[in-house]
Amino acid sequence: MVDIDPYLIVRTLHIISSTIVFGTGVGIAFFMFRSYFGADHAAKLYAVRTTVLADYIFTLPAVIIQPVTGFWLVWQVGYDWTAPWLVITYVIYAIAGACWLPVVWIQIELKKILESVSEKTDLPERYHSLFKIWFILGCPAFIGLVAVFFLMVMKPV
């Protein structure tokens, strides 16, 4: 019988969930950004509907799994909870989360706007303003997650 190491299982879940958070974020950003510059109203609506669904199905569970598995790994390995690289990671993750929450709300608002206007109607200024805020909030979240990946791999002193 194969001996299963709980540490390796939790570490694998941690790595997979981080990949889902990052990968889904990049995919959603590409999908939304591309549809924004297209002229097809139906494509914009499809993009935002799919984005909202992907955030619920993939990103939300992964965002919850990340700190749970991360704290378990810190405890299991015996790292100092206040090591600078970990504290910086906590802060960056919290900032990325603080950017992500309004992004989800904005995506829902963009979906409502697109569902409420005809394909032949110009999109209201609110749609464009919200999209710009969505993009701006995505930048620090993306950069922050890249930094978290670096810190997790390098574990600088």
Side-chain angles (χ1 to χ4, degrees):
M1 185 163 186
V2 176
D3 192 21
I4 299 176
D5 183 352
Y7 171 80
L8 293 177
I9 291 170
V10 173
R11 186 174 174 195
T12 300
L13 287 173
H14 190 70
I15 292 168
I16 290 170
S17 63
S18 70
T19 304
I20 289 170
V21 170
F22 187 77
T24 303
V26 169
I28 284 171
F30 174 76
F31 202 50
M32 289 285 289
F33 197 71
R34 183 125 199 278
S35 73
Y36 180 78
F37 290 103
D40 187 354
H41 180 85
K44 291 178 191 304
L45 184 55
Y46 179 78
V48 75
R49 281 180 176 161
T50 304
T51 295
V52 170
L53 182 62
D55 262 346
Y56 284 123
I57 292 173
F58 300 109
T59 311
L60 180 60
V63 163
I64 294 167
I65 290 169
Q66 274 290 278
V68 172
T69 57
F71 290 141
W72 189 88
L73 290 167
V74 168
W75 168 73
Q76 191 67 25
V77 173
Y79 288 125
D80 175 5
W81 292 87
T82 60
W85 69 274
L86 278 172
V87 172
I88 293 168
T89 300
Y90 308 148
V91 170
I92 292 172
Y93 194 77
I95 291 169
C99 291
W100 179 66
L101 289 173
V103 159
V104 172
W105 176 81
I106 289 170
Q107 291 166 178
I108 293 167
E109 290 301 303
L110 293 173
K111 180 173 148 293
K112 288 178 186 174
I113 292 169
L114 287 165
E115 289 173 339
S116 71
V117 296
S118 147
E119 286 192 36
K120 296 184 178 14
T121 307
D122 287 339
L123 291 171
E125 182 53 37
R126 183 166 186 263
Y127 176 85
H128 300 290
S129 298
L130 285 172
F131 190 89
K132 288 174 188 168
I133 295 167
W134 176 89
F135 179 77
I136 290 167
L137 287 171
C139 291
F142 174 79
I143 293 166
L145 291 178
V146 170
V148 168
F149 270 113
F150 173 80
L151 290 166
M152 292 292 106
V153 172
M154 302 304 288
K155 296 173 182 54
V157 176

